[in-house]
Amino acid sequence: MEAINQPSKVQVRDWLKHRQLKTEPPPDIEQIRRELGWGTAEKIKPAPSAVLQAIANI
């Protein structure tokens, strides 16, 4: 069975808050999963440090 990584509720809330500040349309579901590190362990690439830093600075 594949291990599934899931972000915490706090991480999702922070990401949503950050996204609400942007005026562009939301990204596709795969991009959202990459930014949050959500998915199976084999498919996940670490989120860019710039994204994590932007979320942390909210």
Side-chain angles (χ1 to χ4, degrees), residues 2 4 6-12 18-20 26 30-31 35 38-40 42-43 48-49 51-52 55 57-58:
E2 295 179 2
I4 297 177
Q6 185 172 353
S8 70
K9 291 179 183 179
V10 172
Q11 288 174 311
V12 173
H18 181 260
R19 282 297 307 160
Q20 288 174 342
E30 290 302 318
Q31 179 64 28
E35 289 181 14
W38 194 343
T40 58
E42 293 98 33
K43 294 181 181 180
S49 60
V51 172
L52 297 175
I55 291 172
N57 289 332
I58 293 179

